[in-house]
Amino acid sequence: METYESKQKRILKNRETVYAEMTDLRNVEKYLQNVPQEMKDKVKDMTFEEDCISFNADMVGKVEMRIIDREMPKMVKFGFTGIPVNANLWVQFVAISEDETRMKVTVKADIPFMLKPMIGNKLEEGVERFADMLAMTL
């Protein structure tokens, strides 16, 4: 299983607030206006539930991202269905001060050996972009 980690991102809110926003996925919908249009164009039919976001993605089909574990207020872990590889995503939060949190995104994915050269760099870029987007929206 390969591991891809973002750089730490700075969020000017306390950790408990950031954690609360991330653990109710219905909150994500209100932040979509901040997502770049190029990313919006790649997903369709998004639905938001407390523990799950689902959407149709270009070239993949229906994808579900579901909370599968949480450790208040430190970490939220997501599992995926509908993607061609087994993968999990963690979002970790560290309190720096009462009004500052550092966040890091980690993805672990079972990528077949033959696909690593084609997918690895794109996944690495995607993790960093996802972390940037989260930091901007939270």
Side-chain angles (χ1 to χ4, degrees):
M1 198 170 257
E2 297 293 316
T3 300
Y4 302 90
E5 293 182 336
S6 73
K7 295 176 184 156
Q8 287 188 10
K9 307 299 176 181
R10 182 177 181 215
I11 302 171
L12 296 176
K13 293 182 181 175
N14 73 45
R15 179 168 68 167
E16 288 74 17
T17 300
V18 174
Y19 177 84
E21 287 286 312
M22 280 296 302
T23 55
D24 185 346
L25 297 177
R26 295 173 293 194
N27 293 322
V28 173
E29 187 170 16
K30 66 185 173 190
Y31 295 118
L32 286 180
Q33 64 193 15
N34 298 328
V35 174
Q37 189 62 42
E38 69 183 49
M39 291 182 85
K40 287 181 189 177
D41 291 342
K42 294 182 181 187
V43 296
K44 308 279 188 269
D45 306 321
M46 292 190 83
T47 60
F48 302 88
E49 298 173 22
E50 184 175 359
D51 288 343
C52 179
I53 295 174
S54 64
F55 53 89
N56 283 311
D58 289 351
M59 298 173 49
V60 178
K62 185 172 181 169
V63 175
E64 249 186 32
M65 184 172 106
R66 181 174 299 278
I67 295 174
I68 58 173
D69 192 14
R70 45 182 118 201
E71 185 180 334
M72 186 177 149
K74 299 176 182 179
M75 177 275 300
V76 182
K77 181 179 179 183
F78 299 89
F80 295 92
T81 57
I83 61 174
V85 296
N86 182 22
N88 291 311
L89 179 143
W90 287 261
V91 183
Q92 299 166 307
F93 311 105
V94 175
I96 300 302
S97 69
E98 184 60 33
D99 295 323
E100 184 179 345
T101 302
R102 295 286 165 95
M103 176 196 73
K104 180 171 83 169
V105 174
T106 303
V107 170
K108 290 193 177 186
D110 276 330
I111 300 173
F113 180 76
M114 297 298 288
L115 295 179
K116 282 181 190 176
M118 293 182 287
I119 295 176
N121 289 341
K122 292 189 184 300
L123 192 50
E124 201 169 292
E125 285 177 28
V127 168
E128 196 65 39
R129 288 174 62 190
F130 181 70
D132 288 337
M133 180 189 69
L134 275 180
M136 286 189 320
T137 59
L138 293 172

